[in-house]
Amino acid sequence: MTWSRHRHPHRHPHCAAVLAALLLAAGSPVLGQASPGAGGLTLPAAEALLVQHNRDIALARRVRGQAEADIITAGQQPNPQLSWTTQNINPNRGIGSGDPRAKTVDSIVRVDQLIERGNKAALRTETARRLDGAAAEDVQEVTRQQLLALRFAYFDLLGAQEKAASAAETAALFGKTAEAAQLRLKAGDLATADVSRIRVDVLRAQNDARGLEAELARARVNLAYLIGAESNAASLRAVTPWPKQESAVTTGASDAQLETRPDVRAARARVAAADKARELAQSLRTRDVSVGLQYEHWPNRADANNQGTGNSFGVAFSVPLFVRHNNEGEIARAQADWYAARDFLDRVLAQARSDVSRAAGDLEAARERLTRFEGELVKEAERTANAAEFAFKNGAIGVMDLLDARRTLKAIQIDAANARADHAKALAAYTLSQGMP
């Protein structure tokens, strides 16, 4: 059975921190292994390291920080604008003599302020808050995906350890058989061809053991990347036992269960944000006004060229004229974005239901397969191999019968390890398909 990572980017803004604390608490017996060491790495400790050091989760948190900054920006009112103007400069007559305030130029200092109407600032802020909520749920969704990837990697490592140990034992056993075959060959009790067959199987067992060591190394690297422990990859060792089999599996999920999934909550938050953005677009039809206050200085001079009025003040007021358009494009775009957000939510809900159903089916199939292996297959294969060993040592069977029994046992042991890993990963996928643990 082949497994792939489920693809689907909080229940509240601090869920990631709460999850980290819970995972750390769950792993309290192995808190000394928060940096993986020779003592082995438990699954709770690995999950705590994931929340702390995983790069995808860290990136999602950065994106959430950007959304938080957008709330500040959205709530800010437009800044006033200060301007300084000089006019009525006559190039033929000049600007006169004296200090700057005595020059025959008209100087104007003006402050303009845009006043937003239609509740635009509040709508912008609310839209940004809803998007921040979606970003917070995105952090939870990325955490959920990475937790699933971590559990897959952890159980891959646990299975690789089991298979590598089994292959090493098998290779050692074949080596002892080869030594015994040499003694029987010298005693004339075994043919040279049979000894050669045993040697071939010894080499095959050694090759298989080496291949499984390489698989073990890859599993360690995959797990180390997820928890940010690449420098300690070679020393990683999974020590948490295989999870127990589920007795009953629910094939579907209720709407209430689906609402606990962070991807569903994020999509719903984006619908709410699009709704507020639609209101904001509608508010563009309410005209903003701009008011200005100015101070004007034109010095009075005792000469014929003086046109000055001294110091004066003025007030300005302006409004846009909706003669070419009435922001129909912005309103239509906001409406289309709202429909798109609703369609996306429908798609996410459908995917979530499919995930739960698929995960339930995979878990049930993996459970049945594991039950067959642990119930009869492994025991019968071990019993057959032990009987063949005894019979061969006493000359009751030939080499080929012994080798067949050992090959069968080795294949079943590897298949059983794969079945345990498949069941553990199917259980992880089923658990996380229904939301955060």
Side-chain angles (χ1 to χ4, degrees):
M1 186 179 298
T2 302
W3 295 92
S4 60
R5 297 181 183 178
H6 288 235
R7 297 180 57 195
H8 289 292
H10 283 352
R11 298 185 183 176
H12 66 75
H14 305 294
C15 269
V18 173
L19 176 62
L22 289 174
L23 291 176
L24 284 168
S28 56
V30 289
L31 285 182
Q33 298 154 16
S35 57
L41 181 67
T42 66
L43 181 58
E47 291 178 345
L49 288 168
L50 175 90
V51 174
Q52 294 172 3
H53 303 298
N54 182 266
R55 295 173 179 84
D56 289 345
I57 296 176
L59 180 59
R61 288 176 182 148
R62 295 294 184 191
V63 175
R64 198 290 172 84
Q66 295 171 348
E68 290 176 330
D70 289 340
I71 297 177
I72 300 174
T73 302
Q76 293 172 337
Q77 296 288 343
N79 283 320
Q81 185 168 341
L82 174 66
S83 61
W84 176 71
T85 307
T86 60
Q87 60 187 26
N88 285 334
I89 299 175
N90 192 321
N92 296 321
R93 298 175 179 176
I95 61 175
S97 59
D99 60 72
R101 288 181 57 82
K103 303 297 184 183
T104 53
V105 296
D106 190 5
S107 300
I108 302 173
V109 177
R110 177 169 174 160
V111 176
D112 290 280
Q113 174 66 61
L114 177 67
I115 299 176
E116 292 183 319
R117 301 172 64 239
N119 203 29
K120 294 184 180 68
L123 289 171
R124 277 201 313 270
T125 302
E126 189 59 29
T127 301
R129 289 188 186 280
R130 302 294 175 89
L131 291 175
D132 174 61
E137 297 295 344
D138 285 342
V139 175
Q140 282 290 77
E141 173 61 12
V142 172
T143 302
R144 185 182 73 88
Q145 292 178 12
Q146 293 303 302
L147 277 173
L148 180 58
L150 172 78
R151 293 182 185 181
F152 275 31
Y154 189 90
F155 292 126
D156 280 339
L157 175 58
L158 192 59
Q161 289 173 180
E162 189 172 302
K163 289 185 287 186
S166 176
E169 291 175 2
T170 301
L173 184 60
F174 270 111
K176 291 180 181 179
T177 302
E179 294 174 1
Q182 286 291 341
L183 295 176
R184 291 182 61 179
L185 176 64
K186 292 178 181 179
D189 190 34
L190 196 65
T192 303
D194 290 335
V195 175
S196 297
R197 292 191 185 98
I198 292 175
R199 286 175 179 170
V200 169
D201 271 54
V202 169
L203 295 175
R204 285 179 176 174
Q206 290 173 348
N207 284 339
D208 291 342
R210 183 64 187 89
L212 290 172
E213 286 177 6
E215 180 181 332
L216 176 60
R218 288 193 299 270
R220 284 171 172 159
V221 170
N222 292 338
L223 179 59
Y225 172 78
L226 291 170
I227 62 176
E230 290 86 352
S231 60
N232 296 320
S235 63
L236 287 181
R237 185 167 61 89
V239 295
T240 295
W242 294 110
K244 296 180 180 180
Q245 296 187 36
E246 290 289 321
S247 57
V249 177
T250 303
T251 58
S254 65
D255 291 340
Q257 288 176 316
L258 293 179
E259 288 299 328
T260 66
R261 283 177 56 118
D263 55 343
V264 173
R265 296 169 67 90
R268 199 169 290 283
R270 287 190 167 87
V271 171
D275 187 47
K276 290 298 178 182
R278 187 173 56 166
E279 291 183 38
L280 178 60
Q282 293 285 349
S283 72
L284 295 176
R285 288 178 170 171
T286 302
R287 291 174 172 83
D288 297 336
V289 300
S290 181
V291 297
L293 178 64
Q294 72 178 39
Y295 163 74
E296 185 172 359
H297 175 71
W298 196 349
N300 290 311
R301 293 176 61 92
D303 56 54
N305 298 325
N306 179 41
Q307 301 177 10
T309 58
N311 298 325
S312 62
F313 297 90
V315 177
F317 176 84
S318 64
V319 295
L321 299 177
F322 295 162
V323 296
R324 300 188 185 278
H325 65 84
N326 196 12
N327 298 296
E328 294 86 357
E330 289 84 352
I331 295 171
R333 174 58 187 268
Q335 184 72 22
D337 289 344
W338 180 71
Y339 282 124
R342 291 185 59 185
D343 291 342
F344 182 75
L345 173 61
D346 290 340
R347 190 181 77 174
V348 170
L349 284 169
Q351 288 178 339
R353 291 190 182 94
S354 297
D355 284 346
V356 174
S357 298
R358 181 172 56 250
D362 291 343
L363 177 56
E364 183 63 24
R367 185 186 64 80
E368 292 177 0
R369 181 167 178 258
L370 180 59
T371 299
R372 285 191 291 270
F373 273 104
E374 293 188 339
E376 294 295 333
L377 276 174
V378 174
K379 294 178 182 178
E380 289 297 329
E382 289 176 347
R383 190 179 299 116
T384 301
N386 291 335
E389 291 287 345
F390 180 80
F392 177 74
K393 289 179 181 178
N394 291 277
I397 63 172
V399 172
M400 295 306 297
D401 293 330
L402 172 65
L403 297 180
D404 285 342
R406 284 184 178 171
R407 292 189 195 108
T408 300
L409 175 61
K410 181 176 68 173
I412 289 178
Q413 286 175 336
I414 291 176
D415 288 343
N418 288 332
R420 294 186 190 99
D422 288 344
H423 172 263
K425 291 191 287 186
L427 179 59
Y430 175 72
T431 302
L432 289 169
S433 70
Q434 301 179 69
M436 293 294 291

